[in-house]
Amino acid sequence: MTKIFVDGKAYEVKADQSLLQACLSLGLNLPYFCWHPALGSVGACRQCAVKQFRDEKDTRGRLVMSCMTPAADGTRISIEDAEAAAFRKGIIEGLMLNHPHDCPVCDEGGECHLQDMTVMTGHDYRRTRFPKRTFHNQYLGPLINHEMNRCIQCYRCVRYYREYAGGHDFDAFSSRSQVYFGRYQDGVLENEFAGNLVEICPTGVFTDKTLKRHYTRKWDLQFGPSVCVHCGLGCNISAGERYGTLRRIVNRYNGEVNGYFLCDRGRFGYEFVNSAERLKQPLQRQDGKLQPISKARALEALAGLLADPKKVIGIGSPRASLEANYALRALVGADRFYTGLSASAARLTAVALEMLRRGPARTPSLGEIERADAVLILGEDVTNVAPRMALALRQSVRQQPMRKADQLKIPRWLDHPVRELAQDQKGPLYIATPAATRLDDVATETYRAAPDKIARLGYAVAHALDAGAPDVAGLSEAERSLAARIAEALKSAERPLVVSGPSLNSEAILQAAANVARALSAAGRAPSLSLTAPECNTLGVTMIGGGSLADAFQAVKSGSADTVIILENDLYRRASARAVDEFFSSARHIVLLDSVTTPTVQKAELVLPAATFAESDGTLVSSEGRAQRFFEVYPPVGEIQSSWRWLRDIMMAAGRREAAAWQDLDAVVASVSDGIPALAAVAQAAPSASFRLAGAKIPREPHRYSGRTAMLANINVSEPKPPEDSDSSLAFSMEGVFAQPPASLIPFFWSPGWNSIQSVNKFQEEIAGPLRGGDPGVRLLEPSAAEPRAYFTPASEPTSGSAGEWLLVPLYHIFGSEELSRLAPGIAELSPQPYVALNPEDANALGVQEETSVTLSLESVSRTLPVKLMPGLARGLAGLPAGILPIEGSGLPAWSRISRA
Amino acid sequence: MLSPEERHEIEEELERYPTKRAVSIDALRIVQRRRGWVSDEALRDVAELLEVSVDEMDSVATFYNLIFRKPVGRHVIMVCDSVSCWIMGYDRIREHLTKRLGIQLGETTPDGRFTLLPIVCLGTCDHAPAMMVDQHLHRDLSPEKIDGILAEYP
């Protein structure tokens, strides 16, 4: 800690930060533009000027940029100094010379950092009368809108996009007053994290194009603190609604998870909630067609179906909350509950869970992944499977080069010199995958091979780290020396990390990753092991426990069950169509609860409309093992309700009185916590519904929320009573106390004078640190102190097909592979069409070109697909797009012949 | 397509620098020296050769006012509009040039002979006003002198 004096007052602040960061951490208001906590200081905009004094006697002082000046012990500054204040006001006036007067039609209006800073500096009168420079705007894709006239040249966008996110198709052009931020020519921004430009830009140059289609000002949105459902990482989001439709997603800072950034799937995938595919009322199959029925009739019908409870099984879902899955388990009984995971996913998740529980490696948070200083990725295309992690890994390669800056005593926050010093140097990142990945540009080395060979490389790395770890035979000299280099890099790191996961359906890869982690531990390191999870609650439903989908199929086949209740799950994404069809035809009754229309809906006898994440509350367990609560953004419309409420109602209808206790979420959470020892801590994921802030509920709406008395006047001129929320301490209202709620209950970030999302400054214990009171979520997985398990032993030979066969492997796509976000128009537009990918040389050998139709066989079903040439794909492999073709449950990798159609 | 000579010259420059990217400005100058300007196509070719994105290459190209991203005439006149030249009569020089050539600043004569551009300083304030035509500096200008100078550039 160091002591600084601001306007004559002494403060204790953390050392190693800039004066700007120190002042903001103290809660002082100091305007800035080019600085961003994740990007550091460059001193470009001159907005954060303060007066610095040599000592107590110095009365003249000098202007310094607070972002470029360290908060050294004894520093004396004045923010209020008249000269400094006039300087800051002058800077804004300069920036405003070319800024248009278009706030009323600008999507940023009302949450604009430029507006906030202009008000803060007191620049309230425009003296300039000259014409403003104007630009042509570009088409940047279906997700982001471009309006360059509003630009104030802070350079944050280009620093974020190029230096932080690693994009190459965006830059600053021209010079002086003509500086232009955009692409060389119109086109979709290629970077998967481009959506963060919307929040990085301090004004309205980059705005959310999906929001534009149903635009609502921030102050008119009703928000819920939520958790992203589009992958397993559990990024925290703040979702906003108006008039019963979800309008947008913004980042909800969580210092340990997503920090300041989201991926574009998470930010723009939300539109599935508003999609035409939503199920809105109970449906019953009559004369072969699904017909709407009332809730009462649906429950009556269900009570009939459940007459013999011994014949009923439940199929849960990795995309449904713990509460919903648990309620289903309670309805059917623990031994008749199935997780809904495919056989292979269930097995791999169980293996992963056991590894993380037994240790010795610990599962890191995304924040810790960012701070890792040597990384080995085994088998995962991180950008396309767990996107936000890729952004964290991209920062991890800066860790080692930054030590050079430390040695030269260049503070890490001084961004430009630190990057200049590092030049192109990157810390160790080794990537072993079947195909090229979007992180290859920062990789030390890449290894492209079939899943089995990737596993064998991992085993070899473990052996190189610890001779006690089993070795693999038959590696080439090149592979062996690569393994030695990887081992050396991991061993000499302070915070080594191994990333792996189930994407390639390979238990051997997971075991190899565990061996590397175990060997690192044997070598005296404290390794981290991050295993991706395919869906938002894969880990959670596995912790609840239950058989796989294959076991459920068996239960019906064997005749021990004939009625199936399926929770938020499209079985056609989990098993081959043949197996699912067979299952559906042998089951007598199929009941489905889901939010969207899927192929499974077409097989159901009874369909109940379930709420999406936006209309329900619940808890999800991320791949880190962090249980996080998501809260309703707005009440469900019509007959839609949370799955756990449907399941409770079904139990009640069937005469199961114990369900009467489940009147609100807390009661279900308590049941989960009591019923599943591994989930005992989930109640701590967020405060209960009885929590009150200064005696009142927490408003979901900003206090400026307008039109409440009039917005439903077309239905009834009397203003209806706001809906009550018995499930949380949040209110569907703007009424309440303006005070900071506990971190897990912050619906949106706002603070007086800080209308933009940068108001998060006011909610943190220190800038870029944890939210006050600790970041949201509770970690459920810590490695046990017991003796770590023995090393896994590799198979003696990699599998091989017969002559002329190709190994089909799944390839993942950030846009397209995930089930729900595909229903969002913007994401759908960016999704690829079905293909089979081949290495160009392999294609050449086969005599096929791009777009040539070829036939292959998958689970003895023949498929014809166009060829896509993929230079980075390992030889001998054929890649199929996961989630775009129904291949999840089909046991890939598998061998097949490929021939010209 | 870059000509073999252009490619050869750029490759020679590559040997002088630790990274390919560092040759960006030199490569653009090489192309411009031979073609007068840098077309979109040439920009893409240079970017490919130096293994940077077109966006990155254009960012460099557009930053420098002496890299021309639009076609220019056979001769480029850069007339200084900085403070010393302004005091010493830049306005008259500009007026004479625009009248004589029939074009405004930033334009090219219809016969493709001259492009007229402003420049902020030619470093010859003690001989203001000044202008530069191609590689030649012309100092102590007066409207009367200009016609003679222009005649030197067919």
Side-chain angles (χ1 to χ4, degrees), chain A residues 199-264:
Chain A
E199 291 178 24
I200 279 281
C201 177
T203 181
V205 178
F206 302 99
T207 51
D208 181 338
K209 205 183 242 182
T210 66
L211 170 67
K212 197 176 242 345
R213 284 199 293 271
H214 39 229
Y215 185 69
T216 304
R217 294 253 176 246
K218 178 181 179 180
W219 68 65
D220 277 342
L221 286 169
Q222 172 162 273
F223 292 94
S226 195
V227 176
C228 182
V229 296
H230 300 299
C231 88
L233 289 175
C235 293
N236 292 194
I237 54 171
S238 181
E241 169 269 358
R242 180 100 179 166
Y243 294 117
T245 56
L246 197 58
R247 301 294 166 115
R248 71 148 178 212
I249 301 293
V250 292
N251 185 58
R252 182 164 66 95
Y253 180 89
N254 180 326
E256 274 305 303
V257 184
N258 44 301
Y260 291 91
F261 304 119
L262 297 174
C263 76
D264 288 2

Side-chain angles (χ1 to χ4, degrees), chain A residues 243-375:
Chain A
Y243 294 117
T245 56
L246 197 58
R247 301 294 166 115
R248 71 148 178 212
I249 301 293
V250 292
N251 185 58
R252 182 164 66 95
Y253 180 89
N254 180 326
E256 274 305 303
V257 184
N258 44 301
Y260 291 91
F261 304 119
L262 297 174
C263 76
D264 288 2
R265 178 156 95 196
R267 185 182 297 272
F268 302 111
Y270 72 93
E271 283 193 285
F272 82 90
V273 173
N274 308 331
S275 103
E277 303 299 310
R278 278 299 298 275
L279 295 164
K280 291 181 177 162
Q281 52 199 135
L283 304 170
Q284 188 173 33
R285 195 165 296 279
Q286 289 159 357
D287 309 324
K289 279 177 91 176
L290 285 169
Q291 305 286 354
I293 53 166
S294 71
K295 181 179 172 184
R297 279 215 30 220
L299 290 172
E300 203 178 301
L302 266 157
L305 294 183
L306 302 183
D308 183 1
K310 288 200 174 58
K311 288 288 203 184
V312 183
I313 59 168
I315 295 178
S317 170
R319 66 165 159 89
S321 68
L322 287 179
E323 291 78 358
N325 277 298
Y326 187 83
L328 177 60
R329 181 176 177 270
L331 168 61
V332 297
D335 53 341
R336 285 184 297 278
F337 175 75
Y338 300 87
T339 60
L341 295 173
S342 69
S344 67
R347 181 172 47 83
L348 292 170
T349 313
V351 166
L353 195 56
E354 207 253 330
M355 283 172 186
L356 297 177
R357 279 180 173 149
R358 287 285 295 271
R362 186 172 169 277
T363 158
S365 69
L366 280 174
E368 286 161 334
I369 288 173
E370 202 168 302
R371 296 186 287 275
D373 58 352
V375 183

